[in-house]
Amino acid sequence: GVVLAAAALLRLGWEEKIAEYLPIEHCLPAVGQGALAVEVRGEDAKMCELVAVLDHGPTRQSVAAERAFLQGLGGGCQAPIAALGVVADGSLKLEGMVSNTDGSKILWASQEGSPGAAEQVGRMLAHNFLEMGAGELIAGAGQWR
């Protein structure tokens, strides 16, 4: 089987080729997956003003929580860590997953908090995962080849 991004297939007009959408409960995305960013020089006030309209607060808050979660775990691109932050009804819910490299041990948990404290939500979830033993799972990822 092949797993492809539904967005790409939809853009190509191949919606009928989509056999199944993977539910979030079974397959969390990588941290920051799908978020787009525009980077400009901080001292370029005119350009900062022009691109400010592109800033989507809930997405920025969700990704900030996800990145704080990853950083709090000390994970990188080799560690099997996933997260998805969703802002709805004035709350930020962050779902997280950590596994060992062969997938035989999987930890799932979530944390809710204020979207204005997104980094804190991510750090709290990372702390909870470390208490559940995620550090040992992540440590084994460095040996994965």
Side-chain angles (χ1 to χ4, degrees):
V2 176
V3 176
L4 300 171
L9 295 174
L10 293 172
R11 255 180 292 181
L12 291 169
W14 293 350
E15 184 172 3
E16 73 283 353
K17 296 184 185 292
I18 299 173
E20 180 180 3
Y21 290 91
L22 298 177
I24 293 300
E25 299 80 28
H26 297 155
C27 186
L28 280 179
V31 169
Q33 187 73 36
L36 301 176
V38 176
E39 190 171 341
V40 298
R41 292 184 313 273
E43 68 274 2
D44 190 341
K46 177 73 172 161
M47 189 56 68
C48 289
E49 182 181 336
L50 286 172
V51 300
V53 69
L54 301 174
D55 180 37
H56 183 253
T59 298
R60 179 178 21 80
Q61 293 163 329
S62 297
V63 172
E66 294 172 20
R67 293 181 70 187
F69 171 64
L70 181 66
Q71 184 180 31
L73 290 173
C77 61
Q78 294 293 320
I81 299 171
L84 179 63
V86 176
V87 175
D89 301 323
S91 181
L92 168 63
K93 182 174 184 182
L94 181 61
E95 294 278 342
M97 187 279 306
V98 174
S99 80
N100 58 358
T101 56
D102 68 5
S104 62
K105 175 84 169 152
I106 300 173
L107 302 174
W108 282 77
S110 64
Q111 183 73 45
E112 290 194 47
S114 168
E119 291 86 1
Q120 181 183 6
V121 172
R123 287 190 300 269
M124 288 171 58
L125 185 57
H127 175 77
N128 294 344
F129 267 87
L130 291 172
E131 286 187 340
M132 293 188 304
E136 292 78 31
L137 299 180
I138 294 166
Q143 301 164 9
W144 187 26
R145 301 283 182 248

